[in-house]
Amino acid sequence: TAAAAAAVGVAAGEEQSWTVVCSKDCHGQNLCEQACSGEQVQTHACPKQEDCPVKLACPEGEEPQHCEFEEWSDWSTTTDCSGLCYRSREIAKPNRCGGRACDGPLQDSKSCEAPSSCKPASQDCKFDSWGEWSACNSKVQCQRERNRTLLTNAERGGLGCEGALAETEVCGDDCNEPADCVLSVWMEWSACSKTCGQGEETRLRTIVSRASHSGRPCRGALSESRGCDAGDCEGGEAQDC
């Protein structure tokens, strides 16, 4: 904003106003642009000072004359890519004999439609090329995957991308044949759940591959438990599970 203010000649520290122009294009994307609007050059009365003696401020026979502005000029047409139009005015009659000084802007600006040559062309979204297929069965049995990314995003009303960023397909020569569910071997028994007396120990197994293409599903438990004896407890009696 400080740089924008400097670009239109607004002195640092002065209050600035901003105009936001919004429109909606055919693809439903809001396009908003900001253009600064306000005063560029201002002239003000001097700080308050003691009034001059009338006999010194104005010759005898003359009355105080207040400063007056001319009418504003017509708004100019914008010829550059700033998106601003200007108007100006001059001091028609300066103050004399202790009259009020002029207080107000000598030049003003507002946002205008910039020439069509200043507007950058729209940019459509584009996909990058597909990556290589992953190895078969790398994540899921009988499947392989590949990915792609966005090469450029849609800008200034361009068309958005439509399509997948990742895809998968069946792979492997035997993936269409019936495959039965396969269980892993049992893991080792866990430590006893008690440090003394009667407790329990468990073991687990997992499904290595699930049934596919009408193969037989897995049957049987995935966990087992059995009692364990951790030895007598000091000062207590054993208790059955």
Side-chain angles (χ1 to χ4, degrees):
T1 55
V8 295
V10 179
E14 291 186 5
E15 184 177 353
Q16 301 142 24
S17 61
W18 296 89
T19 300
V20 179
V21 181
C22 290
S23 63
K24 180 173 282 190
D25 68 10
C26 297
H27 305 293
Q29 296 173 325
N30 286 327
L31 302 176
C32 292
E33 297 178 351
Q34 283 190 332
C36 50
S37 174
E39 297 143 357
Q40 286 191 300
V41 179
Q42 288 185 329
T43 179
H44 296 274
C46 296
K48 179 64 178 177
Q49 300 183 42
E50 292 295 329
D51 293 334
C52 298
V54 175
K55 64 179 181 180
L56 296 179
C58 190
E60 185 176 355
E62 292 190 24
E63 297 295 327
Q65 175 180 291
H66 303 313
C67 178
E68 295 179 7
F69 285 113
E70 291 180 351
E71 294 295 324
W72 283 105
S73 65
D74 293 333
W75 286 104
S76 67
T77 56
T78 180
T79 57
D80 55 21
C81 296
S82 66
L84 293 175
C85 294
Y86 304 94
R87 66 176 181 175
S88 61
R89 62 180 176 179
E90 301 292 338
I91 294 176
K93 186 186 296 183
N95 64 319
R96 293 185 63 240
C97 298
R100 289 191 305 272
C102 287
D103 185 3
L106 291 175
Q107 190 172 23
D108 196 11
S109 63
K110 69 175 183 178
S111 59
C112 293
E113 185 71 20
S116 58
S117 59
C118 296
K119 296 181 179 179
S122 61
Q123 175 179 286
D124 296 338
C125 175
K126 292 182 180 179
F127 285 113
D128 200 355
S129 301
W130 282 104
E132 297 294 329
W133 286 104
S134 67
C136 193
N137 306 323
S138 61
K139 293 182 179 179
V140 181
Q141 188 171 5
C142 295
Q143 296 288 146
R144 65 177 185 173
E145 304 85 26
R146 67 176 182 173
N147 301 277
R148 62 179 175 177
T149 58
L150 295 181
L151 187 62
T152 58
N153 292 310
E155 294 182 2
R156 299 177 296 278
L159 296 176
C161 286
E162 294 185 7
L165 293 175
E167 63 179 9
T168 183
E169 68 176 14
V170 177
C171 62
D173 296 334
D174 57 349
C175 281
N176 292 323
E177 298 295 327
D180 297 336
C181 177
V182 178
L183 293 171
S184 70
V185 298
W186 286 103
M187 299 179 186
E188 296 294 328
W189 287 100
S190 68
C192 192
S193 62
K194 298 292 184 65
T195 57
C196 67
Q198 300 297 315
E200 289 186 356
E201 56 185 11
T202 59
R203 67 175 182 175
L204 305 172
R205 62 179 175 177
T206 61
I207 296 176
V208 176
S209 60
R210 299 184 181 275
S212 62
H213 304 290
S214 301
R216 290 193 301 271
C218 288
R219 297 182 182 276
L222 295 178
S223 65
E224 287 183 339
S225 63
R226 67 182 182 183
C228 57
D229 187 357
D232 295 336
C233 297
E234 296 182 5
E237 296 183 358
Q239 181 177 343
D240 294 337
C241 176

